């Protein structure tokens, strides 16, 4: 991992140069599990984890989020359980955390904010969306996916929130293992 | 000692040191401490204490069972190799706790400025992870040994395989410091 660091740094620089619209996506899954056994899902009870931010505790956010997840799960061949007990329970939550960032890109473009041309540290807010998929029978987590982006993308304007959630959910659920069909 | 063996050891040592130097300051730091005068070989069995409810500082790792499973499996493997037994049924002599946390770290290459130039690209921001393992005497409820590792986790959480490798490495290095049971 250590030897990878310079390459990671170069990657980060390339992303920074490409603009600030970065979203990083990841997932973990239960290894050695047959995901084709799951056909139906339902929403689990509301998550006990705090969102940490009142700006996300609103019905718009929940509507966008649930709509996006349902769309992607349908594309994966999973059906929302109607009468029978579901195979899977879906949980999600959003967290907004303060983080810091460094103005890496500025120096490359040849301008400085002050005469010392020092490194500037900027306060930013990072937004993380997490989707947990639980086996309803065993009550065990079998998959977790997340997407992280600057919280401004999530909170600044309503249509932007919808787009960001859509992209986040699409990209994280693209990593969910293929089901039966 | 056989002189060729001594030479080989010296070479391996020099290689390890230079590898550390190349890796720079963000290398994994590992440390431990033991209760003074405690003979760890008096303990044979252990079991896991209930999971702690501390937040890890990263929503990706909070209540992440995949992380927890890997860490426990690694610890159990290392302890078995050291002669400890996982308790089955009977009360264990040791209770194991672990804790993981993530902190954002900033590294600014100050050395460059001393030489009269600034390279902004040399400053870096990364996620540092800490894994800490505690051994508690089950009878007296006192901490008898603690080991921990801290290092950069950048990019490793998003990739399950990298995360598992990072856990493997950290647990191996931490428990290397634990005295072997005879």
């Amino acid at each position: 991992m250590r030897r990878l660091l310079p390459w990671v740094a170069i990657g980060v620089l390339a992303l920074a140069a490409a603009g600030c619209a970065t979203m990083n996506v990841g997932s973990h899954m239960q290894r050695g599990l047959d995901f084709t056994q799951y056909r139906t899902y339902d929403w689990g009870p509301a998550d006990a984890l705090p969102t940490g931010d009142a700006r996300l505790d609103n019905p718009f956010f929940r509507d966008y989020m649930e709509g996006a997840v349902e769309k992607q799960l349908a594309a994966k061949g999973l059906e929302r359980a109607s009468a029978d007990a579901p195979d899977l329970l879906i949980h999600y939550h959003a967290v907004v955390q303060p983080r810091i960032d460094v103005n890496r890109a500025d120096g490359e473009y040849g301008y400085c904010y002050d005469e010392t041309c020092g490194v500037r540290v900027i306060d930013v807010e990072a937004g993380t969306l997490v989707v947990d998929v639980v086996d309803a029978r065993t009550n065990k987590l079998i998959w977790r996916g997340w997407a992280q982006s600057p919280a401004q993308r999530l909170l600044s304007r309503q249509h932007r929130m919808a787009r960001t959630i859509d992209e986040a959910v699409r990209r994280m659920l693209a990593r969910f293992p293929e089901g039966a069909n | 000692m056989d002189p060729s063996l001594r030479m080989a050891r010296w070479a391996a040592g020099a290689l390890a040191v230079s590898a550390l130097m190349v890796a720079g300051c963000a290398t994994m730091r590992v440390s431990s401490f033991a209760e003074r005068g405690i003979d760890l070989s008096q303990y044979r069995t252990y079991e896991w204490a209930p999971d702690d409810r501390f937040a890890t500082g990263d929503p990706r790792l909070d209540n992440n069972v995949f992380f927890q499973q890997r860490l426990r499996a690694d610890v159990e493997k290392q302890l078995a190799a050291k002669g400890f037994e996982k308790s089955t049924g009977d009360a264990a002599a040791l209770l194991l706790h672990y804790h993981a946390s993530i902190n954002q770290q900033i590294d600014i290459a100050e050395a460059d400025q001393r030489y009269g130039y600034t390279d902004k690209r040399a400053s870096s921001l990364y996620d540092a992870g800490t894994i800490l393992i505690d051994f508690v005497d089950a009878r007296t409820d006192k901490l008898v040994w603690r080991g921990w590792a801290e290092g950069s986790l950048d990019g490793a959480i998003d990739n399950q395989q990298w995360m598992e490798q990072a856990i493997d490495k950290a647990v191996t290095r931490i428990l290397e410091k634990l005295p072997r049971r005879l």
Side-chain angles (χ1 to χ4, degrees):
Chain A
M1 213 172 81
R2 191 109 320 291
R3 250 158 276 150
L4 277 173
L5 204 66
W7 297 105
V8 171
I10 289 166
V12 166
L13 279 172
L15 285 174
C20 49
T22 56
M23 178 183 285
N24 68 305
V25 178
S27 63
H28 292 165
M29 61 183 278
Q30 181 63 55
R31 296 205 189 274
L33 190 68
D34 175 21
F35 278 76
T36 63
Q37 62 179 300
Y38 303 113
R39 285 166 199 285
T40 61
Y41 74 91
D42 206 347
W43 291 103
D47 211 307
L49 285 173
T51 65
D53 202 292
R55 290 169 291 181
L56 289 171
D57 283 327
N58 63 63
F60 303 114
F61 172 75
R62 284 198 295 275
D63 275 358
Y64 291 142
M65 191 68 196
E66 291 179 12
V69 171
E70 287 179 6
K71 198 169 79 182
Q72 295 304 322
L73 289 180
K76 287 267 172 190
L78 286 162
E79 280 172 39
R80 179 103 185 251
S82 44
D84 300 330
D87 298 334
L88 297 170
L89 288 174
I90 315 287
H91 299 260
Y92 64 90
H93 59 266
V95 183
V96 175
Q97 277 181 309
R99 288 176 71 86
I100 53 171
D101 203 355
V102 179
N103 60 333
R104 290 190 195 85
D106 298 336
E108 279 169 85
Y109 297 124
Y111 59 86
C112 296
Y113 285 95
D114 54 30
E115 65 277 4
T116 63
C117 212
V119 176
R120 282 204 324 164
V121 177
I122 311 157
D123 284 312
V124 292
E125 280 186 313
T128 307
L129 297 177
V130 180
V131 172
D132 278 347
V133 179
V134 172
D135 184 314
R137 206 168 40 78
T138 62
N139 204 25
K140 285 208 168 120
L141 185 66
I142 60 160
W143 188 87
R144 162 175 287 188
W146 58 82
Q148 292 184 305
S149 73
Q152 275 308 304
R153 287 186 70 191
L154 208 52
L155 300 172
S156 61
R157 284 189 296 279
Q158 194 171 2
H159 69 94
R160 238 184 141 192
M161 177 195 262
R163 270 214 315 267
T164 304
I165 290 174
D166 209 57
E167 184 192 340
V169 170
R170 181 168 44 76
R171 286 182 52 195
M172 72 172 102
L173 283 177
R175 303 170 66 100
F176 191 79
E178 282 301 326
N181 39 343
Chain B
M1 193 191 284
D2 177 5
S4 67
L5 186 65
R6 195 180 301 165
M7 191 67 199
R9 278 204 184 168
W10 184 86
L15 211 67
V17 168
S18 55
L20 283 175
M21 282 162 70
V22 170
C25 48
T27 322
M28 183 183 285
R29 291 172 294 280
V30 186
S31 192
S32 69
F33 63 70
E35 176 68 31
R36 291 264 170 92
I38 273 283
D39 176 18
L40 276 163
S41 67
Q42 67 179 288
Y43 303 103
R44 190 171 55 84
T45 58
Y46 72 91
E47 67 185 354
W48 290 101
D51 277 332
D52 67 28
R53 289 285 164 212
F54 288 114
T56 60
D58 191 310
R60 295 171 296 178
L61 288 186
D62 284 335
N63 303 320
N64 185 321
V65 293
F66 311 114
F67 181 92
Q68 293 160 358
Q69 280 167 3
R70 183 70 173 203
L71 192 139
R72 281 170 181 242
D74 280 347
V75 170
E76 289 176 11
K77 203 168 72 185
Q78 298 286 333
L79 287 183
K82 294 238 174 204
F84 290 90
E85 282 169 35
K86 193 174 171 187
S87 166
T88 48
D90 297 338
L94 287 168
L95 281 177
L96 261 58
H97 296 262
Y98 68 89
H99 185 60
S101 61
I102 306 287
N103 284 302
Q104 212 185 2
Q105 298 276 331
I106 184 164
D107 236 350
I108 292 182
E110 286 167 59
D112 294 339
Q113 298 195 341
R114 243 181 287 146
Y115 296 114
Y117 62 90
T118 313
D119 183 359
K120 285 199 174 69
R121 284 160 293 184
S123 63
S124 73
L125 207 55
Y126 62 95
D127 283 329
T130 306
I131 290 176
L132 182 150
I133 304 172
D134 277 350
F135 287 57
V136 173
D137 184 313
R139 206 168 41 78
T140 64
D141 204 25
K142 279 205 173 128
L143 183 66
V144 292
W145 193 86
R146 161 173 286 189
W148 65 92
E150 189 192 14
S152 167
L153 260 184
D154 236 22
I157 299 173
D158 286 341
N159 181 315
Q160 190 167 5
Q161 206 181 336
W162 290 2
M163 182 193 73
E164 287 166 348
Q165 284 167 2
I167 300 170
D168 295 351
K169 188 175 155 199
V171 170
T172 308
R173 297 271 314 272
I174 292 170
L175 292 181
E176 265 170 13
K177 304 209 164 247
L178 184 74
R180 181 181 285 274
R181 244 187 70 83
L182 295 172

